[in-house]
Amino acid sequence: MEISDHESNMQVIKDVSSNFTSTFCGDMFSFALGLMLLRATGMSLSFGLSMIIMPIVTLIGLVPIGNLVDTYPHKRLLIISLVVRITALFIYSIAIGHFDGSGKLIPTIGFLIINYASVNLSNSGYMASVHELVNEGHIQKLNSLSQSAASFASTFSPIVAAGLYVIVGFRLFIVFQLTAHVIALIILLTMNFHYLSYPRKSSQTPQESQWAKFKLGLNYLMAHGFLRYLICIALFLNFIFAVINVGLPFMIVEHLHLGNVTLGILNSADALGMLIGNLIISVSKELRHLAKILAVTMVIIGTGLAGVGALLMAAPEQLVVQLVGSLMLFAVGMSLAFMNTPFGIYMQKTVPTELMGRVSSTEMSLNMMSIPLGTVFYSFVFQQIPSGIVFIISGIALIAVTGLTMPTFMHVQMPKTGHATQKADRQRL
């Protein structure tokens, strides 16, 4: 059954609304959770607890989550995932009051493990169900608007959370999060999933082991050079981009003493660039010249990183750093939007739906691993070399990798019809 444009538009509105509500309240809850643990334990680890637990849970769930998504109806999995998250949060709200001081880490760690396992299942499930929600002409709009909603929520939620926490305390943030989950569940129940008629290979061979099923997704990745290349580039970019996450606060606040306000302005400029970039993509014609777009964006990101480094080395006045640095990071953020969103669209238009869970789970897990590695690496580097030269070298490295590797794939374009591509892919499996 062909999904009409009207239904696709309605599905986009529902998905964006759910994504915005979940991200906004989720980010506020995470911020408040960090503040609560910091106050209760006095440990700096409080804000980094999620960064430790998330990669571990992601790695452990890599194989079973990918297989689950490709075996069972996506809507059913998404509903179960949300119900589990609601139940876990409700139990946590009761349990947390029975612990004091560092003891609060015990129920928090348990809750975060369940929560991130559920989030990973939901993310893979949504990625695999795009063709079941909208028609071919709305994939770009769905991806870009969802990313825009997430970017907007991530930009402003910490500001709102910081103000509210002083007034209402941690308990009310649990209520916000529970409300957001319930709203997301209601929206999900109203969404129509148009399942494809072909039988799933995984359901035909129930005797296969978990690894044997998951290996089909890995074999697909190994057989498609450009998709494999994109994932490697994403890993490298996530690693490199830790120079912003780690180096910017260190250089602005600790080394140059330009204050938290300057840091907030620069971070907001980056997030605003991503928001504007995704909004531009949502109203643009279908993206076609994929490799050229990615090459240009990577060069801009590399140039922006090097420019920030040069600016910090020049150590100008605070106002100059705020203005010039904001422009550079705005360009970096917009370029990231033009890289991340087309990459997601390309995956959804090329990877067979029956393999999307395993492929997307692999891609997200690898990316999740590269972020803490980059964080540890740049934390060590900035302790040894507290200078803008680290930004410059990182930017040059990104430009060099782009120049050395991208020309091989410069001919690659965005597929016109994902279902036709998927049909051809199934014949090769």
Side-chain angles (χ1 to χ4, degrees), residues 120-404:
N120 288 340
L121 178 60
S122 293
N123 288 342
S124 294
Y126 269 117
M127 177 73 79
S129 62
V130 168
H131 282 290
E132 300 162 358
L133 295 174
V134 298
N135 62 32
E136 197 70 31
H138 286 73
I139 291 179
Q140 180 171 310
K141 180 186 289 187
L142 175 63
N143 278 272
S144 57
L145 287 179
S146 292
Q147 289 289 330
S148 297
S151 297
F152 183 87
S154 297
T155 301
F156 295 103
S157 57
I159 301 173
V160 176
L164 279 179
Y165 186 83
V166 178
I167 301 172
V168 302
F170 177 64
R171 286 265 175 201
L172 197 58
F173 283 89
I174 297 180
V175 176
F176 290 155
Q177 183 74 325
L178 278 171
T179 303
H181 285 334
V182 172
I183 292 173
L185 180 60
I186 293 172
I187 293 175
L188 176 61
L189 291 171
T190 66
M191 297 176 76
N192 296 320
F193 286 67
H194 299 268
Y195 299 111
L196 300 178
S197 59
Y198 63 84
R200 296 178 180 232
K201 293 180 181 292
S202 53
S203 63
Q204 292 178 336
T205 54
Q207 73 279 5
E208 285 185 314
S209 67
Q210 287 288 309
W211 173 248
K213 293 178 182 179
F214 188 79
K215 194 175 179 181
L216 290 174
L218 294 181
N219 290 339
Y220 181 88
L221 279 177
M222 296 304 296
H224 290 73
F226 185 62
L227 186 57
R228 189 170 66 250
Y229 168 74
L230 286 180
I231 291 177
C232 291
I233 285 294
L235 293 177
F236 182 69
L237 187 61
N238 279 332
F239 183 90
I240 287 289
F241 208 71
V243 72
I244 293 288
N245 299 330
V246 174
L248 205 60
F250 183 82
M251 291 297 298
I252 294 294
V253 178
E254 297 294 330
H255 192 67
L256 298 177
H257 306 291
L258 296 178
N260 292 329
V261 174
T262 300
L263 178 62
I265 291 173
L266 296 179
N267 285 335
S268 296
D270 177 39
L272 184 62
M274 290 190 67
L275 172 62
I276 299 299
N278 279 304
L279 288 176
I280 292 174
I281 295 173
S282 69
V283 297
S284 299
K285 294 181 179 179
E286 185 179 11
L287 300 175
R288 297 292 301 134
H289 304 289
L290 178 62
K292 293 179 181 178
I293 291 173
L294 297 180
V296 171
T297 58
M298 289 171 65
V299 170
I300 293 175
I301 293 171
T303 304
L305 293 180
V308 169
L311 178 67
L312 296 178
M313 289 185 70
E317 295 294 325
Q318 184 180 52
L319 182 61
V320 176
V321 173
Q322 291 175 352
L323 293 177
V324 179
S326 292
L327 290 175
M328 292 177 178
L329 288 173
F330 180 86
V332 169
M334 183 175 289
S335 298
L336 282 173
F338 274 88
M339 183 168 185
N340 292 337
T341 302
F343 176 35
I345 297 170
Y346 180 80
M347 281 188 61
Q348 288 154 1
K349 286 191 173 185
T350 55
V351 180
T353 302
E354 66 268 32
L355 291 178
M356 179 60 82
R358 282 162 281 189
V359 173
S360 63
S361 178
T362 301
E363 181 265 330
M364 286 188 287
S365 297
L366 290 175
N367 280 331
M368 198 65 70
M369 295 298 109
S370 66
I371 294 173
L373 289 177
T375 300
V376 172
F377 174 79
Y378 279 106
S379 296
F380 173 78
V381 169
F382 275 103
Q383 287 293 334
Q384 306 302 317
I385 313 173
S387 171
I389 191 66
V390 180
F391 287 84
I392 296 175
I393 294 174
S394 300
I396 292 174
L398 183 57
I399 295 173
V401 168
T402 304
L404 291 173

Side-chain angles (χ1 to χ4, degrees), residues 87-145:
T87 304
L89 184 58
F90 181 75
I91 294 174
Y92 177 72
S93 68
I94 298 174
I96 191 64
H98 297 283
F99 293 84
D100 296 312
S102 298
K104 289 185 180 294
L105 290 172
I106 298 173
T108 301
I109 291 173
F111 164 73
L112 289 177
I113 290 173
I114 298 173
N115 183 69
Y116 285 126
S118 173
V119 168
N120 288 340
L121 178 60
S122 293
N123 288 342
S124 294
Y126 269 117
M127 177 73 79
S129 62
V130 168
H131 282 290
E132 300 162 358
L133 295 174
V134 298
N135 62 32
E136 197 70 31
H138 286 73
I139 291 179
Q140 180 171 310
K141 180 186 289 187
L142 175 63
N143 278 272
S144 57
L145 287 179

